[in-house]
Amino acid sequence: MLSISTAAKRFQSPVKLTPTLVKVTNPLSFMKSKLVLLVSHELSLSGGPLLLMELAFLLRGVGAEVCWITIQKPPGKDEVIYSLENKMMDRGVQVFSAKGKVAIDTAIKADLIVLNTAVAGKWLDAVLNKDVPRVLPKVLWWIHEMRGHYFRLDYVKHLPMVAGAMIDSFVTAEYWKNRTQERLKIKMPKTHVVHLGNSKELMDVAENSVAKRVLREHVREALGVRNEDILFAAINSVSRGKGQDLFLRSFYESLQLIQEKKLQVPSIHAIIVGSDMSVQTKFETELRNFVARKKIQHRVHFVNKTLTVSPYLAAIDVLVQNSQGRGECFGRITIEAMAFQLPVLGTSAGGTAEIVVNGSTGLLHQAGKEGVSPLARNMVKLATHVERRLTMGKRGYERVKQMFMEHHMANRISKVVKEVLHKSTST
């Protein structure tokens, strides 16, 4: 049997395009031969590091010299880190230790330094020490966090002195502006909102009907889900902040509603992509205990976290973006699902509300326990109205094509980087 990852790789470049005489200028082409240092607090399959990797590849694509350092690494060999570092080195990205002379020399020589996430700020004092003032004017700080515990002075005390900050959504930018002033008594630098875009690799699969059909059949066969069954998915790292517990409560409630109202719908299933039972977290155990207690093991499927989400987006019918509290800073999986013409059921918090058009490309519900029943009702609505589901999916795809493609993101980032470079050379 073909593995899911192997099946996905077969469709990474599904069509050959006829060369065109019109030459499209890459908006980042001015970065050719520039030295860029990318500083990541960790290297994992979570959104922040993967985004920074994409920026690394965009910069390499225009001939920039790109160096990568990871601040926090576990002791011993880590398979995920090993795989991701090799992927970067294969694309010409230089990977070296976050500590020591090479890191310091590179930071001093670099034309641009990108600190990825608020936590990366710890590296400045810990490694650069007396050289911090020399590098701050060329630092672009890319922030993705929405949680309150990231607002610590030892993380972000240098924020006012950097060349600029880049944040993934307007609501997050406003939150950072207010929170830093009120809680830390510091002022944000000039802050740029940059909505993200889907990678070319993902779009290649999303727009290939043959690839999607094969991946859908393969994943569903592996899960034991029939083609006509309706599959709701939460695709995030498993944690309480991502709301998988409330998603499962909503899913169970939707099953009860269907039974009570005697609705004629195909069998519905839920899948949680992002598990990691190797660490045996209390929260993940809670999820599995809930499923067992409600006797819905045959309807709920757990899949380990993965770098390759395309097979699962091809296999499902609806994405549930159920992040809690202040929601996602942006939530890249939302636009990835929309690229696959999937409707999105999301919390009306954070960046999700800037992506999903309520009633058009999906349906929004409250965060917290108050959102459990509304989400359950929305799940039933989409399970019982196939045309509405398909129409929302098509509208979501159109919105992605208008706003959330890789070239949109590259254009937005290029404007920010140009301004940062101009500011750093004039100080």
Side-chain angles (χ1 to χ4, degrees):
M1 182 184 289
L2 185 69
S3 71
I4 291 170
S5 59
T6 305
K9 286 175 184 174
R10 284 176 50 186
F11 298 101
Q12 289 303 304
S13 299
V15 290
K16 290 186 177 180
L17 301 177
T18 305
T20 176
L21 296 176
V22 179
K23 186 177 180 180
V24 179
T25 303
N26 190 309
L28 286 163
S29 58
F30 64 92
M31 290 299 291
K32 183 178 180 179
S33 302
K34 299 285 187 185
L35 175 59
V36 182
L37 177 62
L38 305 180
V39 182
S40 184
H41 77 288
E42 65 172 6
L43 188 51
S44 66
L45 295 176
S46 56
L50 296 180
L51 257 176
L52 193 65
M53 281 179 61
E54 276 192 36
L55 177 59
F57 299 150
L58 285 172
L59 291 168
R60 283 295 301 142
V62 297
E65 184 181 353
V66 182
C67 301
W68 176 289
I69 58 177
T70 304
I71 301 168
Q72 188 176 311
K73 287 186 178 182
K77 184 177 178 181
D78 182 285
E79 290 299 327
V80 170
I81 291 176
Y82 178 80
S83 173
L84 295 178
E85 285 186 342
N86 275 280
K87 184 174 182 179
M88 286 193 283
M89 288 187 287
D90 287 346
R91 300 280 289 270
V93 178
Q94 301 170 50
V95 178
F96 46 78
S97 170
K99 299 174 183 178
K101 191 172 185 304
V102 176
I104 295 170
D105 289 346
T106 305
I108 292 170
K109 288 189 295 183
D111 297 292
L112 173 70
I113 300 169
V114 180
L115 291 183
N116 198 42
T117 75
V119 185
K122 294 187 297 182
W123 175 80
L124 290 169
D125 285 319
V127 177
L128 296 182
N129 204 346
K130 62 181 176 59
D131 292 308
V132 169
R134 295 176 65 183
V135 304
L136 289 179
K138 52 188 179 182
V139 168
L140 173 61
W141 209 320
W142 200 358
I143 294 172
H144 313 285
E145 295 96 337
M146 279 284 274
R147 306 284 180 261
H149 60 269
Y150 291 108
F151 290 88
R152 288 174 44 178
L153 204 56
D154 57 326
Y155 288 169
V156 298
K157 66 181 180 181
H158 294 299
L159 252 177
M161 285 79 76
V162 301
M166 189 161 70
I167 298 182
D168 307 332
S169 64
F170 289 99
V171 66
T172 309
E174 188 65 20
Y175 178 63
W176 270 86
K177 177 186 173 185
N178 295 334
R179 188 84 172 194
T180 49
Q181 285 181 341
E182 293 166 7
R183 182 169 173 175
L184 303 178
K185 309 302 180 188
I186 63 173
K187 187 178 180 181
M188 287 287 288
K190 182 168 183 181
T191 301
H192 310 264
V193 173
V194 173
H195 281 159
L196 309 179
N198 285 323
S199 69
K200 182 181 182 300
E201 288 77 12
L202 181 121
M203 293 303 301
D204 281 346
V205 181
E207 297 180 325
N208 186 322
S209 58
V210 175
K212 287 197 294 183
R213 187 179 71 248
V214 172
L215 291 171
R216 179 182 176 90
E217 290 171 358
H218 185 77
V219 172
R220 284 180 171 244
E221 181 184 352
L223 296 173
V225 177
R226 299 171 303 176
N227 185 57
E228 63 269 24
D229 294 343
I230 300 171
L231 190 52
F232 294 86
I235 306 178
N236 298 100
S237 56
V238 171
S239 68
R240 204 171 298 279
K242 300 297 184 182
Q244 289 94 347
D245 53 340
L246 301 180
F247 165 52
L248 289 178
R249 284 174 55 181
S250 297
F251 178 71
Y252 180 69
E253 193 172 308
S254 71
L255 291 171
Q256 292 178 307
L257 286 171
I258 289 168
Q259 188 175 12
E260 288 167 9
K261 296 183 178 182
K262 298 179 180 178
L263 300 173
Q264 297 300 309
V265 295
S267 179
I268 67 171
H269 291 251
I271 178 172
I272 291 176
V273 180
S275 291
D276 188 0
M277 276 305 284
S278 65
V279 294
Q280 293 284 332
T281 64
K282 179 184 175 185
F283 180 67
E284 180 129 16
T285 303
E286 281 178 26
L287 298 181
R288 293 174 188 254
N289 287 344
F290 175 85
V291 170
R293 194 165 62 249
K294 298 299 183 182
K295 297 181 171 58
I296 51 176
Q297 298 97 320
H298 61 297
R299 291 183 182 269
V300 178
H301 313 270
F302 291 89
V303 174
N304 286 340
K305 55 186 176 182
T306 175
L307 184 60
T308 311
V309 296
S310 293
Y312 300 101
L313 293 173
I316 67 174
D317 299 291
V318 180
L319 179 80
V320 179
Q321 176 62 290
N322 205 40
S323 292
Q324 298 300 303
R326 295 179 187 85
E328 292 285 333
C329 177
F330 184 79
R332 184 80 169 284
I333 192 64
T334 305
I335 60 171
E336 291 175 333
M338 289 160 63
F340 277 77
Q341 301 193 32
L342 298 172
V344 177
L345 300 179
T347 46
S348 54
T352 304
E354 293 178 24
I355 303 170
V356 177
V357 180
N358 192 30
S360 177
T361 67
L363 298 169
L364 299 176
H365 58 275
Q366 291 171 277
K369 293 177 183 177
E370 298 82 3
V372 170
S373 292
L375 173 56
R377 291 192 293 271
N378 288 343
M379 292 169 79
V380 173
K381 281 178 190 175
L382 293 192
T384 53
H385 294 90
V386 62
E387 281 304 317
R388 186 176 191 183
R389 203 164 68 232
L390 295 174
T391 300
M392 282 183 167
K394 288 175 183 173
R395 288 175 181 161
Y397 171 74
E398 290 165 3
R399 185 163 167 80
V400 163
K401 295 292 280 188
Q402 291 169 358
M403 299 178 63
F404 301 119
M405 298 287 283
E406 185 177 89
H407 67 268
H408 295 133
M409 182 173 75
N411 268 307
R412 291 188 276 261
I413 290 176
S414 71
K415 291 174 184 175
V416 177
V417 171
K418 268 184 183 175
E419 188 170 318
V420 167
L421 287 179
H422 177 73
K423 187 174 181 180
S424 67
T425 55
S426 59
T427 53

